[in-house]
């Protein structure tokens, strides 16, 4: 099968783009109020393509899909007139466009993406929901969906790990959940120490392996930090036994080794994955033995790569990338 070609559409592609938009929106069910997509002209599309731009999907030079960009909101890239040729559905055209649109948002330094979806089109709502776009507000039949882009960054030292965590800490609100994963000694506790600095909680923050959970009270009348180690828990049900619900609503909860278990604590969370790039001086199986204290990063020279992925409505529209990736001279 010939591969799809997703290109940055310029003014010279206006006729093809408006043709795809008209064919796509022209076969949709009658809506009240009706869509304004059919009002688009070659001239109106050309103006957009000369400014914010758009995308055009082709196969063998045949136009299959298109969308227009909207840069009217600071830090966000809007998607408009997302259209696929009605005779070419179910061929991955829309998914290909969304993937390139997210890459474009990242390249332009945006924090995320927003778009409007009609509630009368449940299949369209489902399409965006499956791709981790979340409804953030509604105006009549228009549902606004948003998605915050994830990020990945190399962190070569423990001090920079703490600095990155302090930046994340600026975005946290009472009730937020962070799920930390990574090999033994990757730096999960060091990351949590940086969060503790940002939240100004009582320390010291150490691995809570043998108490499972430890609460650090705020020193500035802010949220407490609940630090959980789920390494020895066998199932999500065992996490319930710790009885975190009472504290979680008003605290920041950080769960190490919480993949597949801690997500039940909240419908929104940040997943923080810390990977070690290079040889490790510890057990290659990453096994935490009884009586073993997790080593701190810095005992080896291998850099860490931290990947942060937001999940859930709470993180839609949050300036995650611009806050975490800001130049340190901006502090």
């Amino acid at each position: 099968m010939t591969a799809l070609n997703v290109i940055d559409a310029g003014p010279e592609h206006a006729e093809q783009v408006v043709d795809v938009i008209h064919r796509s929106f022209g076969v949709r069910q009658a809506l009240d109020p009706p869509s304004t997509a059919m009002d688009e002209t070659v001239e109106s599309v050309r103006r957009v393509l000369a400014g914010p731009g758009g995308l055009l999907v082709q196969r063998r030079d045949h136009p299959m899909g298109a969308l227009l960009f909207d840069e009217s909101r600071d830090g966000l890239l809007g998607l408009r007139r997302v259209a696929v040729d009605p005779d070419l559905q179910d061929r991955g055209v829309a998914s290909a466009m969304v993937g390139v649109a997210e890459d474009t948002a990242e390249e332009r330094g945006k924090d995320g993406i927003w778009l409007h979806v009609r509630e009368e089109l449940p299949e369209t709502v489902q399409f965006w929901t499956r791709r981790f776009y979340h409804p953030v507000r509604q105006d009549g039949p228009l549902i606004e969906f948003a998605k915050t882009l994830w990020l990945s960054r190399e962190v070569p030292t423990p001090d920079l790990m703490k600095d990155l965590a302090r930046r994340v800490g600026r975005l946290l609100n009472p009730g937020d959940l962070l799920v930390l994963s990574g090999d033994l000694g990757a730096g999960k506790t060091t990351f949590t120490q940086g969060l503790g600095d940002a939240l100004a909680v009582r320390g010291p923050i150490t691995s809570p392996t043998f108490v499972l959970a430890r609460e650090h009270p705020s020193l500035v009348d802010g949220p407490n930090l609940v630090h959980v180690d789920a390494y020895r828990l066998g199932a999500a049900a065992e996490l319930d036994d710790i009885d975190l619900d009472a504290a979680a609503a008003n605290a920041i909860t950080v769960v190490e080794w919480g993949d597949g278990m801690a997500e039940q604590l909240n419908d929104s969370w940040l997943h923080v994955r810390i990977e070690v790039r290079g040889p490790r001086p510890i057990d290659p199986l990453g096994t935490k033995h009884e009586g073993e204290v997790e080593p701190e990063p810095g005992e080896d020279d291998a850099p860490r790569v931290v990947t942060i992925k937001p999940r859930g409505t709470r993180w839609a529209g949050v300036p995650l990338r611009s806050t975490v990736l800001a130049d340190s001279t901006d502090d």
Side-chain angles (χ1 to χ4, degrees):
M1 180 180 293
T2 304
L4 297 174
N5 185 25
V6 184
I7 64 173
D8 290 321
E12 67 276 14
H13 299 108
E15 290 189 15
Q16 295 179 71
V17 171
V18 77
D19 181 57
V20 173
I21 291 173
H22 285 175
R23 281 188 283 127
S24 176
F25 284 83
V27 299
R28 292 187 179 183
Q29 68 188 64
L31 301 173
D32 184 23
S35 169
T36 59
M38 301 303 292
D39 298 334
E40 295 285 6
T41 65
V42 171
E43 197 54 44
S44 68
V45 170
R46 183 179 287 120
R47 285 194 297 270
V48 176
L49 296 179
L55 298 176
L56 178 66
V57 183
Q58 299 175 325
R59 177 177 287 162
R60 297 194 182 98
D61 296 324
H62 178 75
M64 302 178 67
L67 62 78
L68 302 177
F69 291 136
D70 182 324
E71 289 196 305
S72 61
R73 301 186 186 183
D74 290 341
L76 298 173
L77 183 65
L79 307 184
R80 300 176 55 246
R81 312 306 193 204
V82 181
V84 176
D85 186 323
D87 295 328
L88 300 170
Q89 300 284 345
D90 302 321
R91 300 193 185 188
V93 176
S95 294
M97 282 196 297
V98 173
V100 174
E102 291 178 0
D103 289 342
T104 300
E106 181 178 344
E107 291 166 2
R108 295 187 184 185
K110 306 296 185 181
D111 283 301
I113 293 176
W114 68 273
L115 73 154
H116 286 136
V117 178
R118 295 291 290 252
E119 68 174 349
E120 306 100 315
L121 303 174
E123 290 185 0
T124 304
V125 171
Q126 185 181 51
F127 171 86
W128 293 104
T129 300
R130 286 200 305 266
R131 285 155 182 80
F132 301 107
Y133 286 74
H134 300 282
V136 293
R137 60 182 62 88
Q138 184 165 355
D139 181 12
L142 285 179
I143 306 172
E144 182 175 320
F145 276 77
K147 180 179 183 178
T148 296
L149 300 176
W150 62 277
L151 63 94
S152 187
R153 185 175 189 177
E154 184 172 293
V155 183
T157 69
D159 285 344
L160 289 176
M161 180 73 76
K162 291 180 181 178
D163 178 67
L164 184 145
R166 282 191 288 267
R167 293 166 184 261
V168 173
R170 299 172 189 171
L171 301 170
L172 299 179
N173 293 329
D176 283 344
L177 169 68
L178 292 88
V179 179
L180 273 56
S181 64
D183 294 334
L184 185 67
K188 298 182 291 297
T189 298
T190 301
F191 183 93
T192 307
Q193 289 168 349
L195 290 178
D197 291 343
L199 299 171
V201 299
R202 181 181 301 155
I205 293 176
T206 58
S207 176
T209 300
F210 303 111
V211 294
L212 295 182
R214 181 179 290 119
E215 186 166 1
H216 298 271
S218 173
L219 299 174
V220 293
D221 198 28
N224 295 346
L225 175 65
V226 177
H227 186 198
V228 182
D229 187 326
Y231 182 82
R232 301 189 188 282
L233 300 183
E238 295 183 34
L239 193 60
D240 290 336
D241 295 338
I242 304 177
D243 192 23
L244 294 173
D245 292 342
N250 298 308
I252 308 299
T253 302
V254 177
V255 183
E256 299 186 23
W257 306 95
D259 280 0
M261 292 188 287
E263 295 88 350
Q264 67 179 356
L265 297 173
N266 202 320
D267 57 6
S268 297
W269 65 93
L270 281 183
H271 182 265
V272 181
R273 171 74 181 174
I274 306 176
E275 300 174 272
V276 180
R277 297 294 171 87
R280 301 301 315 282
I282 61 173
D283 180 355
L285 298 178
T287 305
K288 185 185 287 190
H289 302 288
E290 194 69 36
E292 179 180 43
V293 177
E294 183 162 345
E296 291 295 322
E299 293 184 4
D300 56 78
D301 295 327
R304 274 64 174 163
V305 174
V306 179
T307 302
I308 304 176
K309 293 187 176 182
R311 292 287 183 259
T313 304
R314 154 73 178 97
W315 294 101
V318 173
L320 178 65
R321 291 181 60 85
S322 59
T323 300
V324 174
L325 300 180
D327 191 284
S328 58
T329 58
D330 296 338
D331 294 339

